[in-house]
Amino acid sequence: THITCTFSSVCMETDASFHVLLPSVRNGLLPLTEPLIPEGGFPTLYLLHGIGDSAQSWLLNSQIGLLCDKYRIAVVLPSCQNSFYADSPDGPKAFSYITSELLDYTHAVFPLSSRREDTFLGGYSMGGYGAVRIGVLCPQLFGKIFSLSGALEVNAGTSFSRICGYSMPSHLKNSKALKNTDADIFYCLSLNRDPLCLRFAVLLSFLLLILIFICVGIFCIIEKEKAIQGIFYRVSACCSC
C-alpha cells in the first residue's frame, strides 16, 4: 500500500511531502494465521535519498515495494533536497525534521511500531551520511542503521557535490569549516576530542548497542539494488529474533 503524505512542517519551513509503504496482502504472501497488522505495529525503515534525488528515486529505481510486502516491513521515504540531513542555521532543519517531526507524525498516523528495536534508518550516498550521523547522535531513536555508498567524509562529500553543480545550503558551502564539528562523523567517533555533549551521545550509542551496517559498491547503481535486498533480509531476521 503506497500513501503519499503532505503536512506543514515547522522544521522544513514549508509543506513537507513523504511516502509511506505499508505491507499488503497480495498473491498469498501472508499466511492466514498471521495478522494483517502485527501487535504493536509494523517494524519500520526510514530510508533517505542521495544528493540531487528525492524519495521518488527509491520508488522508481528499486524494488522497495516488493521488499516491503515480502518482509512485512513498513517504509517511510522523506524528501529533504540537498540538505545532507543537517539543520541549517538560517533555513530548513532536516536533522530535526527526521528525528522529531517525521517520527512523531508517522507514529501518530500509521500503524508503526514505536519500539526502538523495530525502527531502522538507512540511506544512499548523502542519505548514508545522514543515517550514520543521526544514528551516532540520536542512538535512542533507531535500533539499526545502514549506509549504502555513504558520503561519510563530509568535507569531501560537500566539495564533490558543489563541483558537480549541485546547489548546496549556505552552511555547507565552506566544507572545511565542517571539520571537527558534529557534522564530521569521524570527529564524533573520536571520544578523546569530543566535547562533553558529543561524548555522551557516542557513549550512549555503545550502551544501547546500535548496529551499523556500511556497504560500498564500485558500481553504485547496480550494487544499491543488491544491497537494499540484503538489508531487508537482515532487518527481517533481526525482527524475528
Side-chain angles (χ1 to χ4, degrees):
T1 304
H2 176 198
I3 304 168
T4 302
C5 301
T6 302
F7 73 100
S8 181
S9 168
V10 174
C11 291
M12 298 302 286
E13 301 180 354
T14 186
D15 289 342
S17 295
F18 64 92
H19 301 268
V20 176
L21 302 178
L22 296 176
S24 58
V25 183
R26 292 188 303 177
N27 300 325
L29 290 175
L30 185 65
L32 294 177
T33 56
E34 186 173 335
L36 293 179
I37 299 176
E39 183 178 357
F42 288 109
T44 309
L45 169 62
Y46 292 79
L47 193 52
L48 310 181
H49 62 81
I51 197 164
D53 284 334
S54 69
Q56 289 285 349
S57 63
W58 290 111
L59 296 172
L60 297 175
N61 301 315
S62 75
Q63 299 183 40
I64 196 73
L66 295 176
L67 295 171
C68 168
D69 287 344
K70 180 177 180 180
Y71 293 105
R72 310 296 297 163
I73 296 173
V75 181
V76 178
L77 305 170
S79 292
C80 291
Q81 302 179 336
N82 296 340
S83 64
F84 271 77
Y85 301 95
D87 283 353
S88 170
D90 56 359
K93 294 174 172 51
F95 181 93
S96 297
Y97 170 66
I98 297 295
T99 58
S100 59
E101 267 192 334
L102 185 64
L103 282 176
D104 292 344
Y105 188 93
T106 51
H107 284 150
V109 174
F110 299 101
L112 309 180
S113 172
S114 60
R115 301 197 314 161
R116 172 182 174 270
E117 54 266 38
D118 289 339
T119 308
F120 320 111
L121 179 66
Y124 171 68
S125 189
M126 178 187 76
Y129 164 82
V132 174
R133 179 171 178 261
I134 290 171
V136 169
L137 296 180
C138 301
Q140 74 279 10
L141 298 179
F142 301 96
K144 308 285 187 303
I145 301 292
F146 73 86
S147 167
L148 305 180
S149 298
L152 301 185
E153 218 314 318
V154 65
N155 185 28
T158 56
S159 296
F160 177 79
S161 300
R162 289 199 317 279
I163 291 171
C164 291
Y166 292 115
S167 175
M168 302 295 294
S170 58
H171 67 290
L172 297 178
K173 289 181 179 179
N174 183 5
S175 55
K176 291 183 179 180
L178 301 176
K179 298 292 289 184
N180 298 333
T181 70
D182 70 359
D184 184 342
I185 291 173
F186 300 102
Y187 175 75
C188 292
L189 292 173
S190 179
L191 294 179
N192 62 327
R193 297 171 61 187
D194 283 347
L196 181 60
C197 59
L198 289 180
R199 186 182 301 127
F200 176 78
V202 176
L203 286 174
L204 183 61
S205 70
F206 286 115
L207 290 174
L208 291 175
L209 295 177
I210 188 169
L211 299 181
I212 300 177
F213 176 80
I214 296 176
C215 172
V216 178
I218 297 175
F219 302 102
C220 292
I221 295 177
I222 298 174
E223 295 299 324
K224 181 171 70 170
E225 181 62 32
K226 294 180 180 178
I228 196 68
Q229 294 188 49
I231 291 298
F232 267 84
Y233 175 79
R234 287 177 172 83
V235 165
S236 65
C238 291
C239 290
S240 62
C241 291

